[in-house]
Amino acid sequence: MKVLVTVKRVIDPYVKVRVKSDGTGVETANVKMAMNPFCEIAVEQAVRMKEAGIVTEIVVVSVGTQQSQETLRTAMAMGADRGILVEVAGEVQPLAVAKLVKAIVDKEQPKLVIMGKQAIDDDSNQAGQMTAALLGWPQSAFTSAIAVNGDTADVTREIDGGLEKLTIKLPAVVTTDLRLNEPRYVTLPNIMKAKKKPLEVLKPEALGVDVTPRLKTVKVEEPAKRSAGVKVADVQELVAKLKNEARVI
């Protein structure tokens, strides 16, 4: 079966994020970028399913600037077969992403869509659920295990109370959690091979999707700096500080 996987280019998770001086967003100029960690897990899951003989083709999709081609090449170096970039210069919000993914799903007809549960830059956790709603497909969010059995998939979801096991019908949308797998390191030979794999570039207009933002960011600011902690001599002093200074009891 064919699997479609979405990937996003974000600021490297190990880089300290800096807010712009005018408060309009975070600084991305001359900042190291990488594939969103949850998207890496999604690609790894698709590749493992292909290695197991369940999947025949992996198509990776990204929505973003021209530089997102690097992210798609990384996914292809991990094992994806081809890539599709929907090139957008400005901000793309979750609903627009979901509409673009739906349009590509209508074109590619995959049996399974695997997405990261959220991107670490905006932490919206919306695109996967919106995509499933637009497609009218079953979904499994926060997935930590998946086993495909013909036209169904047995999934384990991480929920507040523990784990939830479900059987969903395919086609479906799955969003990945951290414990689903550990992504592989990309080797140099595979990086070279990925350069020869096909990569299609599309515009939102070609897919009939309006990506105009519907929400406006008013201001972005860093969290207030925490004051230094203090040591207390005994429990009585701790209780007094919690009551009189912190006013939490």
Side-chain angles (χ1 to χ4, degrees):
M1 68 177 184
K2 182 190 293 187
V3 170
L4 189 144
V5 183
T6 59
V7 296
K8 185 177 183 181
R9 184 173 184 260
V10 299
I11 295 176
D12 189 286
Y14 299 105
V15 171
K16 178 176 173 55
V17 177
R18 302 191 311 275
V19 176
K20 292 181 178 178
S21 57
D22 58 3
T24 57
V26 298
E27 191 61 64
T28 56
N30 300 317
V31 175
K32 184 181 179 184
M33 308 294 281
M35 187 190 301
N36 178 51
F38 291 104
C39 297
E40 279 190 296
I41 294 170
V43 175
E44 175 66 25
Q45 183 61 33
V47 173
R48 291 188 184 188
M49 292 169 71
K50 185 178 180 182
E51 291 171 343
I54 301 170
V55 170
T56 55
E57 184 182 23
I58 303 171
V59 182
V60 284
V61 178
S62 187
V63 178
T65 60
Q66 185 180 8
Q67 288 79 5
S68 295
Q69 290 189 29
E70 301 171 10
T71 309
L72 289 169
R73 293 293 180 193
T74 300
M76 287 187 276
M78 291 176 68
D81 297 292
R82 57 188 174 94
I84 300 174
L85 171 63
V86 183
E87 191 173 337
V88 183
E91 178 189 9
V92 188
Q93 295 177 350
L95 180 58
V97 172
K99 289 180 178 180
L100 291 169
V101 174
K102 179 188 180 299
I104 294 174
V105 167
D106 292 340
K107 175 185 174 184
E108 294 289 338
Q109 294 294 308
K111 201 169 183 180
L112 181 66
V113 176
I114 308 179
M115 308 173 71
K117 72 170 184 177
Q118 64 195 77
I120 62 171
D121 51 3
D122 57 17
D123 271 338
S124 292
N125 181 22
Q126 295 175 341
Q129 291 88 331
M130 288 179 171
T131 300
L134 291 173
L135 288 168
W137 286 7
Q139 64 173 307
S140 171
F142 318 114
T143 306
S144 59
I146 177 171
V148 175
N149 302 303
D151 291 330
T152 64
D154 297 326
V155 296
T156 301
R157 298 182 57 237
E158 299 201 357
I159 59 175
D160 291 341
L163 300 176
E164 179 183 52
K165 294 187 177 182
L166 300 171
T167 298
I168 57 175
K169 292 183 179 180
L170 300 180
V173 177
V174 170
T175 69
T176 61
D177 215 322
L178 279 173
R179 280 152 288 277
L180 180 59
N181 60 55
E182 184 175 342
R184 67 193 63 193
Y185 288 102
V186 179
T187 62
L188 183 58
N190 286 334
I191 292 174
M192 301 306 293
K193 290 177 183 177
K195 293 181 179 180
K196 298 180 180 179
K197 292 183 178 181
L199 196 161
E200 182 181 5
V201 179
L202 302 172
K203 295 288 186 180
E205 297 78 21
L207 297 170
V209 178
D210 179 12
V211 296
T212 304
R214 295 167 179 258
L215 303 174
K216 180 181 178 181
T217 301
V218 178
K219 186 179 180 182
V220 178
E221 58 184 22
E222 293 187 16
K225 292 184 178 179
R226 297 174 63 182
S227 57
V230 296
K231 291 183 178 181
V232 294
D234 50 37
V235 174
Q236 287 75 14
E237 185 181 354
L238 173 62
V239 172
K241 286 184 176 292
L242 290 174
K243 184 176 182 180
N244 303 322
E245 295 181 19
R247 299 184 182 279
V248 294
I249 60 174

